[in-house]
Amino acid sequence: MADGRGFGRRRLLRVGGLCAVAASAGCTGLRSGSTPGGNEDDSAIHTLTVVLEETNGEPAPEASVSVQSRQLVPQGDAKVPGTDGVVTFSLENGEYVVIVESQEHTNVEEPVTIDGEDHTVTITLQRGYG
């Protein structure tokens, strides 16, 4: 049944469907099951802190650290840690793989799950070649 402006039930449902499709594509509008002004923990951004250290506990800044999703999709550019061996990434909830590559150390792939809070992972690097 249409109102005087030509907006019938079918049109409103169609617009709602488009909003749901846009939300699932990553738009910042309402997502299915959300309320205006609501806080959605599922889409929150959390900090992943990666601490690289040598076997003697000293920082290991001579590496390249990257993060990819479990589906092998890169989650940003690779980062080089500071002199403290620490690097951080901002990630949504999900399963990831931290990849550490170095010419002086054996390369490492470490699975990490971000689930509603910030996460720190310490990786001890072994001397050797990639």
Side-chain angles (χ1 to χ4, degrees), residues 40-115:
E40 293 185 13
D41 291 334
D42 289 346
S43 65
I45 301 296
H46 303 286
T47 300
L48 170 63
T49 302
V50 179
V51 180
L52 301 179
E53 61 182 30
E54 301 272 355
T55 54
N56 64 4
E58 292 294 317
E62 310 88 14
S64 172
V65 182
S66 60
V67 176
Q68 64 185 24
S69 70
R70 297 290 263 167
Q71 293 77 29
L72 306 178
V73 177
Q75 300 298 305
D77 295 331
K79 297 182 179 183
V80 176
T83 56
D84 58 357
V86 176
V87 64
T88 60
F89 296 88
S90 297
L91 302 169
E92 293 182 354
N93 289 337
E95 294 183 11
Y96 300 94
V97 176
V98 175
I99 300 169
V100 181
E101 299 175 312
S102 172
Q103 292 181 2
E104 298 180 22
H105 301 91
T106 303
N107 293 342
V108 176
E109 292 186 8
E110 179 77 25
V112 174
T113 299
I114 304 297
D115 189 19

